[in-house]
Amino acid sequence: MREGDDFDAFYANTSRRMVGQVYAMVGSLTDAEDAVQEAYSRAWQRWSKIQQYGDPEGWVRTVAYRIAVSAWRKAANRLVAHRRHGVADDVPGTSADQLALAHALKQIPADQRRAIVLFHLVGLSVAEIAAETGAPAGTVKARLARGRKALAGHVSEFADDESTAGGREAQHA
């Protein structure tokens, strides 16, 4: 029998019950699932020692509960700090243009979105984008052209850029 087989059997026999128990203790299924997953991960790393305990399931339950409570405390502390200090006065808000751009970018395919962001927002050249994405420079140029065309109906800047885009890409290549 493999060394991990004991742990696999332990996990299969106890994990559903464990999630239910921790969920009942913390009141959030998502938090319970996350905490139990982390607790089993820790148990697996120390399985040679934990399997010798009289109640390995109790160990996992205790660890999962502590993880869930710790996550809850961190979230509560962040909320208290936010209420106490609020948002800094010097932090600019998101402009309507930024929101419109973010929404428009969600409307185009991921490869085009990545090329547009790297070129227009980050300022990388076509060659740098090609190196970062692993795509040939011609593919990057095509993604930029298609992305601009797709964005043109959503963001006026890209409609204006269509006429000058070819020259900029040649300069940045």
Side-chain angles (χ1 to χ4, degrees), residues 67-142:
I67 290 168
V69 168
S70 177
W72 180 84
R73 283 183 183 145
K74 286 177 187 175
N77 287 338
R78 279 191 299 271
L79 182 59
V80 168
H82 177 71
R83 286 183 182 156
R84 182 181 311 133
H85 301 290
V87 178
D89 293 338
D90 60 345
V91 176
T94 303
S95 72
D97 289 342
Q98 291 169 321
L99 291 173
L101 178 59
H103 177 72
L105 285 168
K106 291 179 184 177
Q107 309 304 312
I108 65 174
D111 58 345
Q112 293 174 14
R113 179 173 52 244
R114 186 176 184 194
I116 291 287
V117 168
L118 291 174
F119 187 80
H120 289 284
L121 300 179
V122 178
L124 298 183
S125 69
V126 170
E128 291 169 325
I129 296 169
E132 184 169 321
T133 63
T139 301
V140 171
K141 289 180 183 181

Side-chain angles (χ1 to χ4, degrees), residues 135-156:
T139 301
V140 171
K141 289 180 183 181
R143 289 175 180 167
L144 286 167
R146 290 183 188 123
R148 283 192 202 99
K149 188 173 182 176
L151 286 174
H154 302 284
V155 180
S156 60

